[in-house]
Amino acid sequence: MPRLCALCSTQRPILKRPKTGQQICKDCFFYVFETEVHNTILEAKLFQPGDRVAIGASGGKDSTVLAHVMKTLNDRYDYGLELFLLSIDEGITGYRDDSLETVKQNQKEYNLPLKILSYNEFYGWTMDSIVEEVGRRNNCTFCGVFRRQALDRGAAMLGVDHIVTGHNADDVAETVLMNIMRGDIARLGRCTAICTQGEDTIKRSKPFKYTYEKEIVMYAYFKRLTYFSTECIYSPDAYRGHARSFLKMLEAARPSAIIDIIYSGEACEVGEEATKELKERKTCKRCGYIASNDLCKACTLLEGLERGMGNAGITDRGRKQLEASGPTPDGLRTIPFFQMNASTPTDATSSVTTSGQGSGARISPVVDVSAG
Ligand code: SF4
Ligand code: ZN
Ligand code: ZN
């Protein structure tokens, strides 16, 4: 007698679940995949009926599957959410321009409003021009800082309460490993938080926190979802690459390693001594965004670029060199001011690229560093 699906015992299994090793059929796979995300959402009480939620959409597998699953669960369980797609155009020729075409296709397939915000209009620089200026060593630092702020501002322009991102279990486990390797105890517990929100901040969460990357790929494959699978031409963060290879080795030896690492991170109770090192949060004097110094990280990086001292904004030492090199010359491009609680929901029913002007809210500190 042929082997049957370990869950329904009626259909023939067509896949082995990476997370559990169970041989299951396609319908059961879709059901357990979606139900686990639904349970994660319920347990963390991520949403309230009526919430306006932006899905950070890059056209890649994680955000494409997230958009599909969020729409499916919102309809199936009547969450009562108003969903939007929010994309950032970093200005990477041959990569982001193509992946944004995929997002536009997703917009039509899922019938969700889409907003696209570009680095060029917002910061006056594209990643192509930043790489030309600073080389390829620190490009992901610029990109990560600029993306985080652009996403928050885009969300504020849409008048949304909440941004969901496609960070998956592998990403979270990698971040835990990286914080261990760096000895960054203060961030160790926080980086596993499913949801981050401080006072007056836009909520950010990761509904795929416990979802394995391999299962996301399988889900996209069996659902025949359209996604863009090419890696960024400016190469991923090398440090994360080491953590990723290590995690893949652990997963090959024991699939539960990914979830175990996340649980370990969650279990890390960090005392006051460790968190004291995390700097107090301020408001950037130049652009109004959340900062740990007088200027936020994006303004500091931008000033370095504008003054032809490309990498100066990255380290504390470089920042001091920037300060020591005299007052900021007139005429440098700066980021438009980010006002608190001034947002009026825009008509986001079509694909628009905005200038970055206008409303906003402050954000939570960086707790994950996934490359785009
Ligand atoms: Fe930006 Fe990601 Fe490319 Fe780095 S790898 S430059 S973070 S899109
Ligand atoms: Zn089955
Ligand atoms: Zn700033």
Side-chain angles (χ1 to χ4, degrees):
M1 189 173 153
R3 183 195 273 265
L4 292 173
C5 166
L7 295 176
C8 66
S9 307
T10 53
Q11 298 195 56
R12 295 280 295 273
I14 59 151
L15 60 95
K16 185 176 168 191
R17 250 198 109 179
K19 198 171 186 175
T20 59
Q22 288 171 310
Q23 310 259 10
I24 57 176
C25 70
K26 199 157 75 173
D27 289 341
C28 284
F29 173 64
F30 292 151
Y31 181 76
V32 288
F33 184 98
E34 290 158 3
T35 306
E36 282 180 13
V37 178
H38 173 60
N39 290 341
T40 303
I41 288 170
L42 288 192
E43 273 162 34
K45 298 189 177 72
L46 288 188
F47 308 117
Q48 297 290 325
D51 278 357
R52 293 165 63 90
V53 177
I55 302 161
S58 67
K61 63 179 184 338
D62 299 312
S63 61
T64 300
V65 173
L66 181 65
H68 182 88
V69 171
M70 284 296 299
K71 187 164 168 50
T72 303
L73 297 178
N74 193 33
D75 294 344
R76 183 183 300 160
Y77 297 106
D78 208 6
Y79 289 170
L81 306 178
E82 210 175 326
L83 297 173
F84 300 84
L85 296 173
L86 174 59
S87 292
I88 305 300
D89 179 1
E90 298 94 343
I92 303 175
T93 312
Y95 168 64
R96 188 56 84 216
D97 40 4
D98 291 343
S99 69
L100 283 175
E101 288 308 311
T102 311
V103 177
K104 288 177 191 164
Q105 205 173 322
N106 290 158
Q107 174 196 17
K108 288 187 203 129
E109 286 164 4
Y110 305 148
N111 195 24
L112 295 176
L114 165 69
K115 187 172 193 74
I116 302 175
L117 202 66
S118 82
Y119 283 6
N120 192 26
E121 288 180 64
F122 192 48
Y123 303 109
W125 289 76
T126 60
M127 275 313 292
D128 286 339
S129 56
I130 292 172
V131 168
E132 221 169 276
E133 178 75 16
V134 305
R136 290 178 58 161
R137 208 160 146 243
N138 294 315
N139 53 296
C140 291
T141 303
F142 283 86
C143 196
V145 170
F146 284 177
R147 184 188 299 112
R148 173 163 277 265
Q149 186 164 156
L151 265 178
D152 276 307
R153 291 181 182 240
M157 285 170 191
L158 286 170
V160 305
D161 313 290
H162 197 147
I163 303 173
V164 290
T165 59
H167 290 94
N168 59 44
D170 299 50
D171 297 324
V172 177
E174 281 162 18
T175 306
V176 171
L177 287 175
M178 284 162 69
N179 283 331
I180 291 172
M181 291 193 270
R182 286 189 181 123
D184 196 341
I185 299 299
R187 289 213 166 83
L188 189 53
R190 279 197 332 181
C191 73
T192 59
I194 188 166
C195 183
T196 49
Q197 184 180 32
E199 240 177 278
D200 302 320
T201 63
I202 291 178
K203 216 171 169 183
R204 259 170 196 262
S205 61
K206 311 175 185 110
F208 283 168
K209 179 186 166 184
Y210 298 116
T211 307
Y212 278 31
E213 185 175 62
K214 282 184 180 165
E215 298 203 350
I216 291 172
V217 175
M218 276 184 176
Y219 187 92
Y221 173 79
F222 286 118
K223 285 275 182 189
R224 297 175 193 273
L225 301 183
T226 314
Y227 71 90
F228 185 79
S229 53
T230 309
E231 284 277 322
C232 172
I233 54 167
Y234 295 133
S235 75
D237 182 333
Y239 199 72
R240 179 167 286 273
H242 294 311
R244 179 160 299 183
S245 321
F246 181 51
L247 189 71
K248 291 285 171 222
M249 280 175 355
L250 293 175
E251 186 192 8
R254 198 169 71 125
S256 69
I258 295 176
I259 225 83
D260 293 342
I261 290 170
I262 298 174
Y263 289 154
S264 306
E266 285 173 347
C268 279
E269 287 278 334
V270 181
E272 274 178 29
E273 265 314 288
T275 47
K276 238 173 26 191
E277 297 213 347
L278 291 175
K279 288 184 181 168
E280 189 201 334
R281 291 196 299 166
K282 303 180 183 172
T283 300
C284 174
K285 288 193 172 146
R286 192 169 293 162
C287 78
Y289 195 70
I290 193 158
S292 5
N293 297 298
D294 286 350
L295 293 187
C296 72
K297 196 74 188 161
C299 280
T300 313
L301 291 175
L302 185 59
E303 186 174 331
L305 287 171
E306 289 284 315
R307 292 174 75 161
M309 297 166 72
N311 285 308
I314 291 179
T315 58
D316 277 352
R317 209 166 122 223
R319 189 169 47 81
K320 281 179 190 137
Q321 276 171 0
L322 209 56
E323 282 162 13
S325 67
T328 309
D330 290 337
L332 291 193
R333 282 175 293 193
T334 55
I335 308 171
F337 200 81
F338 193 40
Q339 284 172 327
M340 290 276 300
N341 304 326
S343 109
T344 310
T346 38
D347 174 13
T349 51
S350 62
S351 172
V352 284
T353 305
T354 70
S355 67
Q357 289 286 350
S359 59
R362 288 186 292 183
I363 59 137
S364 48
V366 176
V367 291
D368 54 56
V369 287
S370 296

